[in-house]
Amino acid sequence: MSGFRGRIVSLAVLTATLVVAVLVVLSHVLLSRATDADTRTLARTRAEAVASTVQVHNGTVRLVEGTGDAFDTVAWVYADGRLIDGAPPSTATVGQLGREGRERFLNTGRHLLYAVPLPVPAHAVTVVVTLDLAPYENSEQRSLTMSLILGALAILLAGFVAYLGVNRAMRVVHQMSTLADEWGDHDPGRRFGLGPARDEFGELAQTFDRLLDRVSATIADERRLTDEIAHELRTPITVLRGDAQLAEFAGTRVDPQLVLTETDRLSNAVSTILDAARSRTRTEASCRLSVALRQVAGGREVQVDAPADLEVAVPADVVAAVLRPLLDNAARHARTAVSLCAQAVGDSVLVQVIDDGPGFRPDELDRVFAPGHSGTDGHGLGLAVVRRIATATGLDVRAVADGHGHVEIRFPRA
């Protein structure tokens, strides 16, 4: 098993292993401490039981008759360094504890020894008891074994559940991806439409929907670009072809000035459309508007009126791409003058392209920027490309019907 599914399952198994290991170690440590506390408590209880049988009679330390028989093999009583009760111990450690005269716990192999001195006047009496640790150690061993077995089962179960969950999730994602591919190719208008996201799959479906929206918008955008290219190039090509045919049949010369003019129109149209296609990803820069306006005006007789310190939050080539077709249009239809005026309005900059030509009619303001539209006086040629660039870069452009050629563009202020 490899890939994303394998990584997720491996991560789940590793996490479960770490958790189980920590729990097993922690439980074993706690059980060991609890067992140690229990054995010490039992040893103290046994020593107290033996101590209750110790008496002093006529200055001699002795045990109550018959009461200590049950402890002969697990308890010893030492008085003044001598063993007075209990079977002879099998190890010298018992005698050493009995003669030390202080409270002490000592582990010897699988046994626990406990020595406690008794407050007997004029005598040094010590009780030593032993406790077999084998049952406790066996219990700890069984508990550890069961913990390891249950931990291994928990790890296997965690891996199995993770595999089922990831496999189910990946199947859903694969189906969604397949459907998105099919819709993108054959039915780009279809969407998952799951509504507000309730989980990660809902968010994924919304992401796919947005992706398909962008794909559809891109396809429509490219179609519009094709239409605009055809519209912008048809007029100069038609003029050049007509003039060439006329010269061929009439035996006249082709007007060089006409060829140059129409060639310039072709070049400007291509440059503007390319700028529009590139402008989507070029919205981070800014420029000094007065400098950009003078560059756009170039050698034309255009009056430029813009504050010297005014900046817009778009690059200079986008400013040129938007204004150049408008200036071309204004120059063709102006009677005497064309002007570029700029002023700051709040957080935007209003640029006006004004000529003293016939201007726009009120009934054509809504469709003047539509591809293929051309007014009776020729207005509208290239304005579709202006609207395209403005839309792509987040600008606002509109025509004004005030008796003159008047177009306003709003740029974001830097």
Side-chain angles (χ1 to χ4, degrees):
M1 183 169 51
S2 59
F4 179 75
R5 182 185 290 106
R7 291 195 296 271
I8 293 299
V9 174
S10 300
L11 181 60
V13 171
L14 178 60
T15 303
T17 302
L18 293 177
V19 172
V20 168
V22 171
L23 292 178
V24 168
V25 172
L26 183 62
S27 63
H28 184 66
V29 170
L30 293 178
L31 180 61
S32 298
R33 292 187 176 182
T35 300
D36 185 64
D38 290 342
T39 54
R40 292 193 175 205
T41 301
L42 181 58
R44 288 192 179 95
T45 302
R46 184 172 292 180
E48 291 173 359
V50 175
S52 65
T53 65
V54 177
Q55 295 180 351
V56 179
H57 183 71
N58 296 328
T60 303
V61 180
R62 67 176 185 176
L63 270 68
V64 178
E65 295 278 340
T67 58
D69 296 342
F71 298 105
D72 284 346
T73 59
V74 295
W76 300 268
V77 179
Y78 285 84
D80 302 321
R82 295 182 299 104
L83 178 65
I84 64 172
D85 188 73
S90 59
T91 175
T93 307
V94 175
Q96 181 181 354
L97 291 176
R99 295 181 183 90
E100 285 183 356
R102 61 190 180 93
E103 185 178 11
R104 182 181 177 190
F105 285 98
L106 181 65
N107 284 88
T108 58
R110 303 187 67 178
H111 291 81
L112 174 68
L113 294 177
Y114 174 58
V116 57
L118 302 182
V120 177
H123 297 280
V125 180
T126 302
V127 175
V128 181
V129 297
T130 183
L131 188 66
D132 187 7
L133 298 178
Y136 299 95
E137 293 180 352
N138 293 336
S139 176
E140 287 185 16
Q141 189 65 33
R142 287 193 298 269
S143 175
L144 179 60
T145 302
M146 291 300 298
S147 298
L148 292 175
I149 294 175
L150 292 176
L153 293 177
I155 293 172
L156 293 177
L157 180 61
F160 180 70
V161 171
Y163 174 78
L164 290 181
V166 173
N167 193 50
R168 180 186 179 92
M170 291 298 100
R171 185 168 61 249
V172 173
V173 172
H174 179 70
Q175 291 174 352
M176 293 175 66
S177 301
T178 302
L179 288 175
D181 288 336
E182 293 178 355
W183 296 347
D185 293 336
H186 308 294
D187 190 6
R190 191 173 178 184
R191 301 292 182 268
F192 290 104
L194 300 181
R198 299 179 180 178
D199 53 20
E200 288 78 3
F201 295 114
E203 295 177 356
L204 182 61
Q206 289 185 344
T207 301
F208 275 129
D209 285 345
R210 291 192 295 268
L211 176 61
L212 292 174
D213 287 339
R214 289 195 294 270
V215 170
S216 297
T218 301
I219 294 174
D221 198 44
E222 295 305 319
R223 290 174 178 171
R224 286 195 300 269
L225 176 61
T226 303
D227 293 341
E228 291 165 6
I229 291 175
H231 170 70
E232 291 296 319
L233 302 184
R234 184 183 298 116
T235 300
I237 290 177
T238 301
V239 172
L240 289 174
R241 180 178 179 82
D243 193 65
Q245 289 177 341
L246 178 62
E248 179 182 5
F249 288 108
T252 59
R253 296 180 57 189
V254 177
D255 184 4
Q257 185 61 41
L258 176 65
V259 174
L260 291 175
T261 301
E262 298 303 323
T263 303
D264 289 341
R265 292 183 63 185
L266 281 172
S267 178
N268 290 337
V270 172
S271 298
T272 302
I273 292 172
L274 289 177
D275 286 338
R278 296 167 182 163
S279 60
R280 287 186 181 273
T281 58
R282 304 168 68 180
T283 58
E284 299 84 1
S286 62
C287 69
R288 187 69 60 87
L289 185 59
S290 59
V291 176
L293 294 182
R294 291 188 179 90
Q295 290 176 350
V296 172
R300 298 186 181 95
E301 294 183 359
V302 177
Q303 180 182 356
V304 178
D305 182 13
D309 59 346
L310 192 60
E311 294 188 0
V312 292
V314 294
D317 54 354
V318 174
V319 175
V322 173
L323 296 179
R324 188 178 291 116
L326 297 177
L327 282 180
D328 291 341
N329 192 76
R332 285 196 300 271
H333 304 96
R335 294 189 180 95
T336 58
V338 177
S339 63
L340 280 172
C341 303
Q343 58 180 339
V345 181
D347 57 353
S348 62
V349 176
L350 179 65
V351 177
Q352 303 178 75
V353 181
I354 303 173
D355 65 79
D356 56 359
F360 303 100
R361 300 192 309 272
D363 60 349
E364 67 175 351
L365 293 181
D366 294 334
R367 63 180 187 274
V368 69
F369 293 100
H373 174 76
S374 180
T376 55
D377 295 319
H379 285 283
L381 184 61
L383 296 186
V385 179
V386 174
R387 172 60 62 85
R388 174 186 174 84
I389 299 174
T391 301
T393 53
L395 309 179
D396 180 38
V397 58
R398 70 186 188 97
V400 180
D402 59 357
H404 299 285
H406 188 179
V407 179
E408 294 180 347
I409 309 98
R410 286 186 179 271
F411 294 92
R413 189 173 181 178

